[in-house]
Amino acid sequence: MVKGLEDRVFNSIVYLILALAGLCAVFPLMYVVSVSITPFAEVLKNGGFILLPKSITFDAYRKLLTESGIPRAFWVTVFITVVGTAVNLVLTTLMAYPLSRKKLPGRSFFLLLVVFTMLFSGGIIPTYLIVKAMGLLDSVWAMILPGAIWSFNVLIMKSFFEQLPEELFESARMDGAGEFRILWQIVSPLSLPVMMTVGLFYMVGHWNEFFQAIMYVTDRTLFPLQVIVREILMLTQQPLETVENMTPTETMQMASVMLASLPIIIVYPFIQKHFTKGMLLGSIKG
């Protein structure tokens, strides 16, 4: 089929828009990477703007990994991300599966409660008082348990479960399987796309943990990565009294941003396929 002039013009415009959108996405990343691996003297010489460094050095990364609180904060963030995501997935699945069963008594009422929490929250102070009453202050669990279940993710997972053939459940029950066995041996293996999608939501949220850390944690040894990175970004040319007396430079600031973002950038391509599939399947039914 020969494309007409109108089709070629349309395709050219689409490609141009996509190219501009891609450039807008890649440009900030290129800037951050370039500055982080460029000697600070060269960065100053170029007014702080470099896209293609003439020389490369990893001094900023070395100093951050050896002289700052980055390594300790990194492992705190890894713990929060791994354990927190596991807790999130288990609790979200256990909540979404019963809600997906149409024969659940009071199903509409419980769904209304889930949606209600998406529109209205208890507020910062009541939430803080609850966390304090539970004895979670100054612990990593204060950054995990208050957000253990996100209502939006419950609805995504519920919609996915509802699309599974009802015959699977009926045949399993005829074979004597209980609900927990059905969930573990039938529903969970078939729900890998939506679990990867929801898991990615939770994982990114935990990796970028900041607000709950500054609200509930005062022990510096429990600060996650984003809090330490924020301290480095906020300080300019003054000696850092809170980050092991390290003088931050622009290269170190950009290096800290890369260290905080790199794990998510590495992990995302491996689960992108499941992420796209899970979002599409979960969006068919509301």
Side-chain angles (χ1 to χ4, degrees), residues 20 59 76 89 264 276 282:
L20 291 175
D59 286 346
V76 172
L89 283 177
I264 294 297
T276 305

Side-chain angles (χ1 to χ4, degrees), residues 48-49 69 143 146 152 161 177 183 197 199 213 226 228 230 257 260 277:
F49 182 81
M143 296 176 277
F152 178 72
F161 291 159
L183 175 61
T197 303
Q226 303 300 336
I228 299 298
R230 177 182 177 273
V257 172
K277 186 177 179 181

Side-chain angles (χ1 to χ4, degrees), residues 35-69:
V35 173
S36 69
I37 60 176
T38 302
F40 189 54
E42 186 177 336
V43 174
L44 291 177
K45 184 179 178 181
N46 289 275
F49 182 81
I50 288 180
L51 282 182
L52 297 174
K54 296 179 181 178
S55 57
I56 295 176
T57 177
F58 294 96
D59 286 346
Y61 290 94
R62 181 182 57 79
K63 289 183 179 179
L64 283 174
L65 293 175
T66 58
E67 302 175 12
S68 72

Side-chain angles (χ1 to χ4, degrees), residues 63-81:
K63 289 183 179 179
L64 283 174
L65 293 175
T66 58
E67 302 175 12
S68 72
I70 289 284
R72 181 178 61 232
F74 176 83
W75 290 115
V76 172
T77 301
V78 168
F79 179 85
I80 294 172
T81 302

Side-chain angles (χ1 to χ4, degrees), residues 53 71 135-136 138 155 169 177 183 208 229 242 268:
L136 298 178
D138 275 337
L155 295 181
F169 299 90
L183 175 61
N208 294 324
V229 170
T242 54
Y268 182 75

Side-chain angles (χ1 to χ4, degrees), residues 97-267:
Y97 177 69
L99 292 176
S100 69
R101 300 299 90 201
K102 296 181 180 178
K103 295 182 180 179
L104 175 71
R107 178 172 179 264
S108 299
F109 173 74
F110 292 119
L111 281 175
L112 180 63
L113 290 181
V114 173
V115 175
F116 183 83
T117 60
M118 295 176 61
L119 303 176
F120 305 97
S121 65
I124 296 176
I125 295 177
T127 305
Y128 176 85
L129 294 176
I130 291 174
V131 173
K132 181 180 179 181
M134 295 177 65
L136 298 178
L137 294 180
D138 275 337
S139 73
V140 292
W141 300 106
M143 296 176 277
I144 295 176
L145 296 182
I149 299 178
W150 295 1
S151 301
F152 178 72
N153 291 339
V154 171
L155 295 181
I156 290 178
M157 196 170 285
K158 179 191 78 70
S159 298
F160 187 92
F161 291 159
E162 288 177 342
Q163 297 172 44
L164 296 177
E166 187 63 28
E167 291 77 9
L168 288 174
F169 299 90
E170 294 177 356
S171 60
R173 293 190 185 101
M174 291 178 64
D175 290 338
E179 294 299 330
F180 278 105
R181 186 177 176 186
I182 294 174
L183 175 61
W184 176 251
Q185 294 187 344
I186 297 177
V187 175
S188 296
L190 295 174
S191 305
L192 185 60
V194 73
M195 288 190 177
M196 296 293 285
T197 303
V198 172
L200 180 63
F201 287 158
Y202 283 127
M203 184 177 67
V204 173
H206 285 302
W207 188 265
N208 294 324
E209 178 55 56
F210 174 77
F211 181 75
Q212 293 185 104
I214 63 174
M215 282 287 297
Y216 308 133
V217 178
T218 57
D219 185 354
R220 290 191 54 80
T221 61
L222 298 178
F223 278 175
L225 196 56
Q226 303 300 336
V227 176
I228 299 298
V229 170
R230 177 182 177 273
E231 290 184 350
I232 296 174
L233 293 176
M234 292 296 291
L235 295 175
T236 55
Q237 299 302 318
Q238 299 176 357
L240 280 176
E241 296 179 359
T242 54
V243 190
E244 279 74 24
N245 295 323
M246 179 187 64
T247 301
T249 65
E250 189 169 355
T251 56
M252 292 182 185
Q253 293 173 349
M254 296 302 109
S256 66
V257 172
M258 282 304 302
L259 288 175
S261 307
L262 194 59
I264 294 297
I265 295 175
I266 294 175
V267 169

